[in-house]
Structures are given as structure tokens and as C-alpha cells.
Amino acid sequence: MLIVQKFGGTSVGSLERIEKVAERVLETVNRGNRVVVVVSAMSGETNKLISYAKHFTPTPEKREMDILLSSGERVTSSLLAIALNAKGQKALSLSGRGAGIRTDSNHTKARIENIDPTPILSALDSGNVVIVAGFQGVDEKGRVTTLGRGGSDLSAVALAGAIGADLCEIYTDVDGIYTTDPRIEPKAKKLDVISYDEMLEMASLGAKVLQSRSVEMAKKLKVNLVTRSSFNNNEGTLITDEDKIMEKPLVSGIALDKNQARIGLIGVVDRPGIASDIFQTLADANINVDMIVQTVGDSRGDNAGLTNLAFTVSRDELENAKKCIQKFQSKNEVQDIEINDNIVKVSIVGVGMKSHTGVASKAFATMAKEGINIMMISTSEIKISMIIEERYSELAVRALHSAYELDK
Ligand code: ADP
Ligand code: ASP
Ligand code: MG
């Protein structure tokens, strides 16, 4: 078989761990497989590099960030190649550029445009284990780009698709996909299988065990994706097509996203096109807006002709979003900007919701019982999301986990 194995930050977090990864890769080779390995930076490394840059300014140039951040993955990929060669297994490492990963120029969250499989395939043909530095590519002009946080998952899935791998294994520090983050709720249960769509929602809604774009890509390219632990040999979780899953639970999991901030715009001039102007400005700055709420405009007194708007963005985009909105404040189209970064998003995910009623009301009742105020709500066919105060995060996750009997 042709297998792509991706090892995350904790799995390559020390020289001892890299040694263990080398042994694991070697076992896979010795069972007769051809192996491409994708590695993350050592755990904590990317955050450390970000904090270095932020020592100088809260908004460092994105192009420089990419050169800085891509270094972490180059360290682990070359070290793993050195470790394998030392064990007598031919291996070579490739950067994103070397592996033929071409992206657009959207620095710090670039999209993969295409992958030239030749460098990897020819290195495999010469009997190498090929190790690719995850999380990075190169744009048209030859500039290094990175693929967004957690982007090594995307590197692995995209490479698996490009070289036609039979299997893509994501090795991490938990046994697979759980009903919720096992670090928050120890009663969480490991799932044997989950559909691409549910996993996509879980990942987009904060379950950082897989990067959401990697799941999107796996679905599109029909990559056989398995998440498992690099610390043991337990079977992991298979992520696959919904039709291949016999028993569909009503709710599959609870996700928590702490990387959330809410921007409230008070006294917005209620003219046609204002919402479009505001959100276009944010879109032009590549800022993803998630939930949006507009309150009913006031037709009386001092507030006549004014309305209020609130929306959420990820916390790391808050500074840039604020800058965008300040333009409207200086044009007197927005009176006040209210920032709240003490909020989180808690979500319930399950394909079973499509055919059952009462799932949402149970979520609201559970929050009410715990005395948690819901600040914003949004729903789709297979998810319900609520914005709540950050201090209630763990309580909300555990209460919902038990309300939907996920611990049973
Ligand atoms: P890696 O460094 O291997 O990429 P991550 O830290 O990105 O690992 O992702 C693994 C972590 O995801 C786990 O340690 C766990 O705390 C967290 N996690 C969040 N939600 C879930 C979930 N539903 N199932 C499993 N792990 C989850
Ligand atoms: N090292 C990068 C990050 O921490 C990419 C990854 O680990 O997948 O986001
Ligand atoms: Mg990760």
C-alpha cells in the first residue's frame, strides 16, 4: 500500500518522540508499504515563533510570518529523515516547495492550488521514505506560504490525494475522534467512525483534532482518513462517507471554540447598503465573519434611523477587524464599537438532527438549567451553535454531553 502518515506537534515534540516516530514509520515500511510522512513543528514551536513576532508589533507582515513559521516544520522533517537514515532506512525530507505544493498568495492562510506529485513519486521510486514539512507551500512568485493553523493536516490529505495514496493516517495525542474534547470531558467516548460532514462541522466549530479544511479536502478527494494515537496501537477513528455508516446517532459530538470574539456596532446608520459596505470591507481584508445579528432599528427619539449590529470573528483577527470598522466610525456611520473577547462558541453536531425535532430546544433548556445566558444562536441542518461567556465553557460542554447521553 501507499500510505501517508502525518505526525502532529506532540508526536514530534522531543528528540525521543522523533525517534519513536522513526521506529513506527520503519515498522510500516517493513510490512511492505511505501510511506510518505508529513510532520508538524514540535509542539509549542509555532506559538513560540508567533510570540517572538508579536514582541515587535501586534500586526506583523504576513509574508514575514510565513517565512518565520514555516521554519518549525523544516526542523522536524529534516530531523526525522536524519533519524531514519541513521537506522539504515533511506529517507529524504522535502520542504513544501520541494514537495511541489503550489498555493495562492494569501499569506498565513494560503489555499493549495495544485500539487506536482513528481518529486515525491520519484523519491519513493528510489526506495526512500519521503518526509514532507507540513503546513507550507509556495506561491506563483516562489514565496513561502503557510496553510493556516493546524495546516499540516491539510498538507497530509492533499498529498494523499495528489499521489493517490490508499490511506491517510493522522497520528496525534489522543486515540481518535471523541464525542467531545476528552481533555474537557473525561467521560467522552471515542467514535469508531464519523461522517465527513459531521467531522467538518466539528472541526469548523472548534474541535482542533483535525483542521477543517483538511476534512473538506478529504471529502472532495475521497481520501480514506483515519485519526489515531502515536502513543499506542489502538484502532483510531475512520472518517468516511455518510452512506457508509449504518447506525447514525442523533448527536455525534459537542465542539467548543475558544478562538472567538464578538464585535458590537452601536448606533449604525440605517441606510440601504450599510451592511454590505461593512462586511465587504471585512471580506476584502480576508476576515471571516461567522455569526451576524442585527437588532430591529429604532424609529423613535434620538435613535431614529439607527440600528445595532453584532458579529463574531476569530480572536486572532480581532485587531484587523477593529481597524476595518474604525473607518466607519470616523465617517460617523457607526457611533460605538464594543469588543468582547471573553466569549466562546459551543456547538452540537449530528446528522440525526436532519430527521428529528427537539434537538435545539434541549440545548436551550440545558443552558437555562445551568444558568448560562445564550448571547447568539445559529443553526444549520446538522448543527446548533451558541455563543456564551467564556467562564461557562467547560460547564456547558459537560452539561450538553450528558443531556444528549453521549457518555452512555
Ligand atoms: P496535533 O498536534 O497532533 O495536530 P492537536 O493538538 O492539533 O494535535 O489536536 C489534538 C487535540 O484535539 C487533542 O489533544 C484534544 O485535546 C483535542 N480535541 C478537541 N476536540 C476533540 C475531539 N472531539 N476528539 C478528540 N480530540 C479532540
Ligand atoms: N505547526 C502548525 C500549527 O501549530 C501546523 C500544524 O501543527 O499542523 O498550527
Ligand atoms: Mg493539529
Side-chain angles (χ1 to χ4, degrees), residues 60-90:
E61 292 73 28
K62 293 187 168 178
R63 180 177 171 275
E64 297 308 329
M65 288 309 285
D66 278 353
I67 297 194
L68 180 65
L69 299 190
S70 60
S71 67
E73 270 70 10
R74 297 178 67 134
V75 170
T76 44
S77 59
S78 50
L79 287 176
L80 180 58
I82 291 169
L84 278 163
N85 280 308
K87 290 183 188 303
Q89 168 60 52
K90 263 178 85 179

Side-chain angles (χ1 to χ4, degrees), residues 37-191:
V37 183
V38 174
V39 287
S40 289
M42 290 179 165
S43 58
E45 185 63 24
T46 309
N47 286 341
K48 191 177 85 188
L49 294 171
I50 293 174
S51 75
Y52 285 174
K54 297 228 159 143
H55 172 80
F56 302 101
T57 164
T59 50
E61 292 73 28
K62 293 187 168 178
R63 180 177 171 275
E64 297 308 329
M65 288 309 285
D66 278 353
I67 297 194
L68 180 65
L69 299 190
S70 60
S71 67
E73 270 70 10
R74 297 178 67 134
V75 170
T76 44
S77 59
S78 50
L79 287 176
L80 180 58
I82 291 169
L84 278 163
N85 280 308
K87 290 183 188 303
Q89 168 60 52
K90 263 178 85 179
L92 65 80
S93 65
L94 298 171
S95 64
R97 182 196 310 268
I101 303 176
R102 261 285 316 278
T103 71
D104 63 17
S105 304
N106 189 5
H107 286 288
T108 73
K109 37 182 180 178
R111 291 194 155 262
I112 296 179
E113 287 182 337
N114 61 65
I115 297 181
D116 172 9
T118 350
I120 292 184
L121 291 177
S122 63
L124 282 172
D125 286 345
S126 327
N128 288 290
V129 166
V130 182
I131 298 148
V132 180
F135 178 52
Q136 55 186 276
V138 66
D139 75 0
E140 197 177 38
K141 297 193 186 110
R143 290 182 179 149
V144 176
T145 54
T146 63
L147 309 175
R149 296 306 306 269
S152 299
D153 296 332
L154 177 63
S155 308
V157 171
L159 285 172
I163 63 173
D166 303 291
L167 177 64
C168 181
E169 293 181 317
I170 307 286
Y171 285 90
T172 183
D173 54 7
V174 286
D175 280 2
I177 311 298
Y178 281 71
T179 46
T180 193
D181 190 340
R183 288 177 210 281
I184 296 177
E185 173 52 283
K187 288 188 214 146
K189 294 266 180 297
K190 197 203 83 183
L191 302 165

